[in-house]
């Protein structure tokens, strides 16, 4: 329906509401319609149309979500308090306190829009708008639904405004209303708002995509319909397990979604093959998978595009199966499969819960809402703590607008984290104590390194150990503020403890070497010289390498003649101090980060880790840490002892003085000169063969393990690439 020119008549609107909710207050609806018309009187819109057409259209839009009559009445009245002489008291008297509260909420939001004319910076304004919006809707999400419908109708009638204003409104829509529509799951409004904004913000791109889509339509005239027909034959009448009741629909994708895809994949329009999407709606979950089986059995599947949002719903409650196949006309098509109930939620999102049949008091809302709208509470949390509006927006853009990952605790509680978050972030999000004592994590039942990136839908089980504490290395990979702050605080105190311990050890040793009994009393005597408050402070300074242990000793016993050469001892101290401060040490940085100071390191012989490999450490009491590559099969045997896993990584600051042995498994043709060829290629590429073992020999091939000294994984990869390019060499892999 053309929403710009047509007037919705009173009876049309009221009949439509009564049609889906026979118990709606017909009298109040009628009164609200008339009230809005009278209140706006002769006011006109920028288009020249009577103003009252706008609230009536907003109400009409909301009937498509089958909202309760109070929402519809609110829509009819939404501009009266702001733009006419009507007061809230009047509305309360005529339509009751609930409608008055809702109208008030929408009015507040409209006032925010007016403030835009002020002098605040663009981002401050936007942040402030958003903040108010969230606050208002947190009281009753119907306020947001009315506001979204209002925005949708305004976007549809944008062409009558001045260009700058149009662009500003479009951008605000794209940055604030679209994500909110998505968050509450109203897909159809999200798509419409997105397309309308895109058209305004980027008219050239919009036009050119539209023209190409139209051209395609001409060339493949009726293609969507033909594909629907064939899908119907396949699904509804197919030979194997037909589903006669399945409903199949199709559409071409919107210009905005195509544009976004062109951007994300950095491809031209011509390279985009799936511009059509089809939907199969069936009765039960069983039939969803049945239909999926039929589609996958009939058409070639495009790998990497299958997504099962039925078993793992999106955080806004969306459920569906998505897959992409080479469809009937040899074209890539996206197919979505879902049940009728899922379809309703997909289309209407939160409105599906707020429709007339659910009742409308927050207490009645389904239990899932608590979890689903947790982000709203989190936003409010940030709101309370953010001091400046733009700071708030910064937070929100990070936490809300950028992609997030949603993970689950073993009990099924949802934890929302920024994309790129790790199990450590997850642990701190659950509870600070859990973060502080976490020693490992099982993701979807498998032990994974603490630096792993969590994916949407991951179930994360954090393993803790009472005596464990945060590792300084975590700070390098956590991405949430909470985790980082806790780790930093901990590391600071812990580092001091370490330094005190180390300082005392160093000083005690000098005492011993010189034949004295160590005593703190003696140290107290020289505190002033070093301008330190207490003994611990001086010991910490020694441990941190700022003050020499021997200097302190010499200050305590000025007349003493040194037995051990001082220089040698200081060297030891410096080396130990460097170990205690792996990231800022003055000595040679360690090759590996995340180790416990003073712990011995071995490289596993099973997987031969080299610089650049992703690695993990396994602690063996009395032996130190053994470094394995993350995919080493040996790690399987440590799955039951998570307390032995430590997170380590190569230290990019360390200059590796020695090469490391990388192991290659090579298959070479059994012919003259082949082995010579092999060693020449390795030598030419700077590798040094230290060991070579033939593991199998047939008349055609040698299989062998070769240990090659290399600088790092890149070096090894170069050698492997060179070997692969050599004709006599059949295959090259990293050896085990
Ligand atoms: Mn309005």
């Amino acid at each position: 329906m053309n929403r710009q020119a047509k007037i919705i008549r009173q009876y049309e609107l009221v009949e439509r509401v009564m049609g889906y909710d026979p118990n709606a207050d017909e009298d109040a609806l009628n009164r609200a319609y008339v009230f809005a018309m009278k209140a706006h009187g002769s006011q006109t819109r920028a288009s020249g149309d009577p103003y009252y057409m706008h609230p009536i259209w907003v109400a009409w839009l909301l009937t498509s979500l089958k909202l309760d009559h109070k929402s519809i009445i609110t829509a009819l009245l939404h501009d009266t308090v702001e733009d006419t002489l009507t007061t809230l008291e009047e509305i309360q008297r005529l339509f009751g306190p609930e409608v008055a509260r809702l109208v008030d909420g929408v009015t507040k939001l409209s006032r925010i829009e007016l403030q835009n004319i002020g002098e605040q910076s663009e981002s401050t304004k936007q942040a402030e708008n958003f903040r108010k919006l969230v606050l208002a809707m947190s009281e009753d999400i119907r306020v947001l639904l009315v506001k979204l419908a209002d925005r949708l109708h305004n976007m549809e009638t944008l062409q009558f405004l001045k260009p700058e204003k149009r662009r500003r409104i479009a951008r605000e829509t794209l940055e604030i209303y679209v994500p909110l529509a998505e968050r509450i799951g109203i897909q159809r409004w999200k798509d419409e708002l997105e397309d309308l904004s895109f058209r305004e913000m980027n008219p050239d791109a919009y036009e050119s995509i539209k023209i190409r889509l139209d051209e395609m339509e001409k060339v493949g005239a009726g293609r969507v319909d033909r594909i629907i027909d064939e899908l119907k034959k396949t699904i509804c009448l197919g030979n194997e397990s037909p589903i006669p009741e399945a409903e199949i629909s199709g559409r071409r994708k919107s210009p905005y979604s195509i544009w976004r895809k062109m951007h994300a994949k950095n491809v031209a329009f011509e390279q985009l093959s799936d511009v059509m999407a089809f939907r199969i709606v069936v009765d039960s979950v069983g039939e969803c998978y049945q239909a999926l089986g039929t589609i996958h059995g009939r058409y070639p599947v495009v790998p990497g595009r299958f997504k099962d949002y039925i078993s793992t719903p999106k955080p806004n409650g969306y459920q569906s199966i998505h897959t992409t196949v080479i469809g009937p006309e040899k074209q890539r098509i996206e197919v979505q499969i879902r049940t009728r109930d899922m379809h309703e939620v997909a289309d209407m999102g939160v409105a599906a819960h707020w429709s007339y049949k659910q009742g409308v008091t927050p207490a009645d809302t389904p239990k899932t809402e608590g979890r689903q709208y947790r982000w709203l509470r989190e936003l409010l949390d940030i709101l309370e703590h953010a001091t400046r509006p733009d700071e708030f927006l910064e937070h929100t853009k990070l936490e809300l607008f950028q992609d997030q990952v949603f993970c689950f605790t073993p009990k099924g509680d949802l934890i929302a984290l920024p994309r790129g978050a790790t199990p450590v972030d997850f642990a701190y999000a659950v509870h600070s104590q859990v973060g502080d004592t976490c020693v490992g994590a099982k993701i979807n039942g498998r032990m994974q390194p603490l630096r792993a990136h969590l994916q949407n839908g991951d179930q994360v089980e954090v393993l803790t150990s009472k005596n464990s504490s945060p590792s300084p290395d975590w700070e390098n990979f956590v991405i949430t503020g909470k985790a980082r702050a806790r780790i930093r605080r901990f590391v600071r105190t812990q580092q001091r403890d370490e330094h005190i311990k180390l300082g005392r050890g160093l000083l005690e040793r000098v005492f011993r070497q010189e034949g004295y009994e160590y005593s703190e009393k003696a140290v107290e005597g020289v505190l002033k010289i070093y301008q330190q408050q207490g003994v611990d402070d001086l010991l910490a300074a020694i441990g941190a390498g700022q003050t020499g242990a021997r200097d302190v000793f010499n200050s305590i016993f000025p007349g003493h003649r040194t037995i051990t050469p001082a220089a040698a001892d200081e060297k030891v101290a410096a080396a130990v101090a460097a170990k205690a401060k792996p990231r800022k040490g003055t000595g040679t940085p360690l090759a590996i980060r995340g180790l416990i100071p003073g712990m011995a390191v071995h490289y596993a012989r099973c997987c031969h880790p080299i610089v650049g490999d992703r690695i993990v450490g396994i602690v063996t009491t009395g032996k130190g840490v053994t470094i394995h590559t993350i995919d080493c099969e040996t790690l399987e045997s440590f799955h039951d002892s998570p307390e032995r896993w430590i997170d380590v990584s190569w230290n990019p600051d360390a200059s590796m003085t020695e090469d490391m042995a990388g192991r290659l498994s090579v298959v070479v043709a059994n012919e003259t000169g082949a082995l010579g060829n092999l060693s020449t290629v390795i030598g030419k590429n700077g590798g040094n063969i230290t060991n070579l073992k033939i593991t199998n020999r047939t008349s055609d091939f040698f299989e062998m393990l070769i240990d090659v000294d290399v600088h790092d994984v890149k070096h090894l990869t170069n050698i492997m690439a060179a070997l692969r390019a050599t004709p006599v060499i059949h295959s090259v892999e990293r050896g085990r």
Side-chain angles (χ1 to χ4, degrees), residues 51 54 58 78-79 150 154:
Y51 194 93
H54 165 69
V58 174
H78 82 269
D79 279 333
D150 178 45
N154 284 337

Side-chain angles (χ1 to χ4, degrees), residues 140-157:
D140 193 322
I141 206 140
R142 286 176 295 176
V143 170
L144 176 65
L145 295 174
V146 175
K147 191 64 209 166
L148 279 175
D150 178 45
R151 179 51 66 117
L152 182 55
H153 187 246
N154 284 337
M155 285 298 294
E156 283 171 343
T157 49

Side-chain angles (χ1 to χ4, degrees), residues 560-633:
H560 184 80
R561 283 190 65 211
T562 301
I563 304 164
T564 329
D569 196 51
E570 293 301 327
K571 232 182 230 167
V572 172
V576 183
K579 278 194 185 183
K581 296 201 308 171
R583 267 164 304 134
K584 257 168 59 193
T586 44
T588 319
L590 290 187
I592 294 190
R593 283 173 167 182
L595 292 173
I596 298 144
M599 200 172 248
V601 190
H602 314 273
Y603 297 99
R605 314 210 61 156
C606 41
C607 51
H608 293 267
I610 54 179
V611 175
D613 280 333
R614 295 184 57 210
I615 48 175
V616 72
I618 297 290
V619 179
T620 307
T621 321
K623 232 190 111 191
V625 184
T626 309
I627 307 296
H628 293 264
T629 62
I630 207 78
D631 50 1
C632 176
E633 280 163 19

Side-chain angles (χ1 to χ4, degrees), residues 466-735:
K466 238 196 285 168
N467 300 320
S468 191
S469 56
S471 153
D473 188 48
W474 293 353
E475 211 189 313
N476 298 320
F477 60 76
V478 297
I479 66 166
T480 50
K482 186 180 179 189
R484 181 160 292 139
R486 287 287 302 196
I487 295 163
R488 252 185 217 159
R489 191 186 319 159
F490 187 87
V491 167
R492 264 202 304 270
T493 40
Q494 191 205 31
Q495 222 164 34
R496 183 176 151 85
D497 289 351
E498 293 272 352
H499 287 160
I500 293 170
K501 226 167 48 198
L502 185 65
R504 182 180 297 121
L506 289 168
L507 197 55
E508 272 175 3
R509 201 165 59 167
V510 182
F511 269 74
R512 239 189 348 265
Q513 282 169 347
E514 305 300 336
Y516 286 85
E517 185 82 14
Y518 171 77
S519 93
E520 301 224 330
K521 256 226 165 83
V523 182
E524 271 170 26
V526 297
L527 287 178
K528 271 212 184 101
I529 302 174
Y530 295 94
Q531 296 175 334
Q532 298 288 2
Q533 294 286 319
V535 173
D536 279 355
D537 297 319
L538 181 54
L539 294 178
I542 297 171
Q546 294 153 358
T547 305
R550 181 148 305 263
D551 289 344
V552 174
F553 176 85
N554 288 340
S555 308
I556 298 171
F557 303 101
H560 184 80
R561 283 190 65 211
T562 301
I563 304 164
T564 329
D569 196 51
E570 293 301 327
K571 232 182 230 167
V572 172
V576 183
K579 278 194 185 183
K581 296 201 308 171
R583 267 164 304 134
K584 257 168 59 193
T586 44
T588 319
L590 290 187
I592 294 190
R593 283 173 167 182
L595 292 173
I596 298 144
M599 200 172 248
V601 190
H602 314 273
Y603 297 99
R605 314 210 61 156
C606 41
C607 51
H608 293 267
I610 54 179
V611 175
D613 280 333
R614 295 184 57 210
I615 48 175
V616 72
I618 297 290
V619 179
T620 307
T621 321
K623 232 190 111 191
V625 184
T626 309
I627 307 296
H628 293 264
T629 62
I630 207 78
D631 50 1
C632 176
E633 280 163 19
T634 313
L635 292 177
E636 293 275 348
S637 54
F638 299 107
H639 276 177
D640 294 330
S641 36
E643 71 285 350
R644 295 179 59 187
W645 291 58
I646 60 170
D647 251 285
V648 290
S649 60
W650 298 104
N651 184 356
D653 303 333
S655 52
M656 294 297 291
T657 42
E658 284 169 47
D659 282 350
M660 317 180 77
R663 177 165 286 189
L664 296 178
S665 161
V666 186
V667 179
V668 193
N670 188 356
E671 53 187 69
T672 333
L675 284 181
N677 230 329
L678 173 102
S679 58
T680 309
V681 172
I682 292 176
K684 262 193 183 161
N685 285 281
N688 180 29
I689 298 177
T690 54
N691 195 9
L692 188 150
K693 192 173 144 202
I694 294 175
T695 52
N696 196 11
R697 175 185 237 160
T698 69
S699 56
D700 297 327
F701 294 107
F702 290 115
E703 284 175 38
M704 58 184 85
L705 290 172
I706 307 172
D707 291 345
V708 186
D709 275 353
V710 288
H711 317 310
D712 55 19
V713 77
K714 222 164 122 197
H715 187 193
L716 190 65
T717 313
N718 281 345
I719 293 175
M720 287 168 72
L723 288 172
R724 288 197 179 111
T726 311
V728 289
I729 290 163
H730 187 254
S731 71
V732 186
E733 304 290 341
R734 284 288 292 277

Side-chain angles (χ1 to χ4, degrees), residues 49 61-62 163 178 205 210 243 299 316 342 424 574 658 685 692:
D49 288 333
L61 285 169
L62 289 169
V178 165
K210 183 117 195 323
I243 310 170
Y299 306 106
N316 64 15
M342 291 171 190
V424 177
E658 284 169 47
N685 285 281
L692 188 150

Side-chain angles (χ1 to χ4, degrees), residues 429-464:
V430 171
H431 195 279
S432 309
Q433 201 59 39
V434 177
D436 283 347
T437 57
C438 105
V439 289
K442 284 186 178 175
I443 302 177
N444 303 322
R446 279 186 61 98
M447 248 345 258
Q448 294 284 332
L450 287 174
R451 61 173 61 240
H453 285 186
L454 296 175
Q455 305 295 325
N456 257 322
D458 277 349
Q459 194 196 55
V460 186
E461 183 187 347
V462 177
L463 305 160
T464 58

